[in-house]
């Protein structure tokens, strides 16, 4: 599988048996969706990104040909003749999901996409889920681990996975419905509502990096280029798995992450606030199933990935900010 190695975006080039393919990506203007759109187009495929732009980033310009619309407006006709639908659109904030509306929105959108796909002639639907479905369990976390959601966001993803299981037997031969569970994907274009960009922004502005609790909670951090490589490996394979993890398999404490950001930025201090309600002590992906099915992916070391993120944010922010 060909891969760019210029240190900015490692766009995997897909080698499908029949190319180019028609692919629809919901959340196509989002952090992962925009990177995947770029990689697939580099591979010569026809990609239609769809996004309502409810969550935008000044560091991430909209993809060419973006359809600005609510995902729930997609119809069977929109999906007929499409090879693969990658459904990434979601309100992904765990704290915000405790407010009324977030859980209901995500489940309604996911159910619409699953139902519309099953009624269409599209061949494959890959649904985005989250490590949050595992909740508080000892890692590494394998796909066979039981559900233990601790937030409305996580409960919504559990509902989506269960809906997929209900609809999957209804599909005709040759049609597939798979789920990918993302762990903590990060990179220079990520929105500010996640821990890595929040730390990077604080360091850039010479403000304290704020840690909730003691910082011993561990997260599985995967650089965006590596996550896109995993996604394209999955799409490259002859069949989708019912569910598969997408992570690095390496736990990093939030305190160590903050220290690494300070090293990458060359400045910064750390402060602590009260721990988050229902905080989970550790997320670590068991990547055994992925490796057996799609081959190993060598993930970029954290310090190197953070240094690239700092440099790329410095390079692209003035350009995109001026264009607004």
């Amino acid at each position: 599988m060909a891969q760019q190695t210029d240190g900015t975006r490692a766009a995997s080039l897909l080698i499908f048996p029949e190319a180019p393919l028609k692919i629809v990506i919901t959340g196509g203007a989002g952090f992962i969706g925009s990177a995947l759109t770029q990689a697939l187009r580099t591979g010569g495929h026809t990609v239609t990104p769809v996004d309502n732009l409810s969550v935008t980033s000044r560091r991430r310009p909209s993809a060419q040909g973006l359809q600005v619309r609510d995902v729930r407006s997609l119809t069977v006709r929109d999906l007929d003749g499409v090879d693969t639908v990658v459904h990434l659109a979601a309100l992904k904030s765990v704290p915000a999901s405790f407010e009324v509306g977030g859980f209901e929105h995500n489940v309604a959108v996911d159910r619409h996409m699953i139902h519309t796909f099953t009624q269409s002639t599209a061949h494959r639907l890959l649904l985005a889920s989250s490590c949050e479905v595992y909740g508080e369990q000892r890692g590494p976390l394998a796909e066979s681990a039981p559900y233990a959601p601790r937030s409305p966001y996580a409960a919504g993803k559990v509902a989506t996975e269960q809906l997929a299981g209900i609809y999957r037997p209804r599909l005709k031969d040759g049609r597939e419905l798979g789920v990918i569970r993302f762990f903590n994907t990060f990179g220079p274009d990520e929105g500010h509502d996640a821990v890595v960009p929040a730390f990077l922004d604080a360091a850039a502005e010479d403000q304290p990096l704020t840690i909730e609790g003691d910082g011993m909670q561990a997260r599985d951090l995967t650089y965006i280029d590596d996550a896109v490589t995993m996604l394209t490996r999955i799409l490259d394979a002859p069949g989708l798995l019912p569910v598969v993890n997408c992570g690095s398999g390496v736990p990093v404490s939030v305190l160590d992450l903050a220290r690494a950001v300070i090293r990458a930025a060359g400045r910064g201090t750390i402060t602590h606030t009260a721990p988050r309600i229902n905080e989970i002590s550790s997320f670590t992906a068991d990547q055994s199933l992925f490796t057996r099915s799609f081959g190993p992916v060598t993930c970029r070391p954290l310090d190197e990935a953070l240094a690239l993120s700092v440099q790329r944010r410095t390079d692209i922010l003035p350009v995109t900010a001026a264009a607004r």
Side-chain angles (χ1 to χ4, degrees):
M1 181 173 295
Q3 185 173 351
Q4 293 179 356
T5 56
D6 60 1
T8 56
R9 175 83 63 200
S12 293
L13 306 184
L14 293 166
I15 309 171
F16 285 99
E18 297 179 4
L21 297 178
K22 292 178 64 177
I23 300 169
V24 171
I25 299 178
T26 70
F31 171 49
I32 296 175
S34 60
L36 181 60
T37 295
Q38 178 181 328
L40 291 169
R41 286 177 171 171
T42 299
H45 304 287
T46 301
V47 182
T48 301
V50 179
D51 203 298
N52 67 0
L53 298 182
S54 60
V55 179
T56 60
S57 170
R58 57 183 176 170
R59 296 183 174 88
R60 190 169 57 241
S62 294
Q64 183 178 5
L66 175 70
Q67 290 191 12
V68 181
R69 59 192 292 191
D70 192 310
V71 171
R72 288 169 293 183
S73 73
L74 288 171
T75 66
V76 170
R77 180 176 297 180
D78 292 314
L79 302 189
D80 279 343
V82 170
D83 179 81
T84 302
V85 181
V86 183
H87 177 46
L88 302 173
L91 300 177
K92 69 181 186 66
S93 171
V94 171
S97 75
F98 283 89
E99 302 298 327
V100 174
F103 169 86
E104 294 82 356
H105 172 85
N106 282 348
V107 172
V109 169
D110 293 351
R111 186 191 186 285
H112 174 81
M113 287 305 304
I114 294 170
H115 180 76
T116 304
F117 165 74
T118 59
Q119 299 301 304
S120 75
T121 62
H123 294 157
R124 303 184 297 179
L125 172 62
L126 182 61
L127 294 164
S129 186
S130 168
C131 62
E132 293 284 342
V133 302
Y134 292 115
E136 186 65 62
Q137 301 187 59
R138 290 183 178 273
L141 299 162
E143 292 83 353
S144 58
Y147 294 126
R150 298 192 69 184
S151 69
Y153 171 78
K157 288 302 182 184
V158 169
T160 294
E161 292 194 16
Q162 292 179 327
L163 281 171
I166 291 169
Y167 275 84
R168 192 175 287 115
R170 300 167 62 92
L171 297 174
K172 295 181 180 179
D173 289 345
R175 306 188 70 217
E176 299 177 303
L177 203 170
V179 172
I180 181 169
R181 289 177 182 161
F182 288 101
F183 282 66
N184 291 73
T185 305
F186 74 98
D189 303 340
E190 189 178 11
H192 60 83
D193 60 340
V195 62
V196 175
F199 283 175
L200 290 171
D201 285 344
E205 297 164 7
D206 205 17
Q207 297 295 317
L209 282 64
T210 302
I211 294 175
E212 296 172 317
D214 60 11
M216 291 299 101
Q217 61 270 38
R219 296 295 179 261
D220 184 310
L221 300 170
T222 311
Y223 191 57
I224 182 62
D225 294 355
D226 302 323
V228 168
T229 295
M230 293 179 202
L231 271 168
T232 55
R233 291 270 187 93
I234 290 169
L235 297 177
D236 212 8
L240 295 179
L241 294 175
V243 61
V244 64
N245 287 337
C246 177
S248 68
V250 179
V252 177
S253 75
V254 174
L255 182 58
D256 284 343
L257 169 63
R259 291 167 175 162
V261 167
I262 290 171
R263 289 195 300 272
R267 62 181 177 179
T269 58
I270 295 173
T271 188
H272 294 260
T273 61
R276 180 182 296 184
I277 296 175
N278 280 7
E279 179 69 285
I280 294 169
S281 61
S282 180
F283 282 123
T284 307
D286 182 334
Q287 287 296 104
S288 300
L289 176 61
F290 182 96
T291 300
R292 289 197 306 271
S293 303
F294 310 112
V297 173
T298 301
C299 291
R300 196 180 296 270
L302 179 62
D303 282 337
E304 181 182 337
L306 288 173
L308 284 172
S309 297
V310 169
Q311 182 58 54
R312 185 161 173 78
R313 286 159 69 94
T314 301
D315 290 344
I316 67 178
L317 180 55
V319 175
T320 54
R324 292 186 58 164

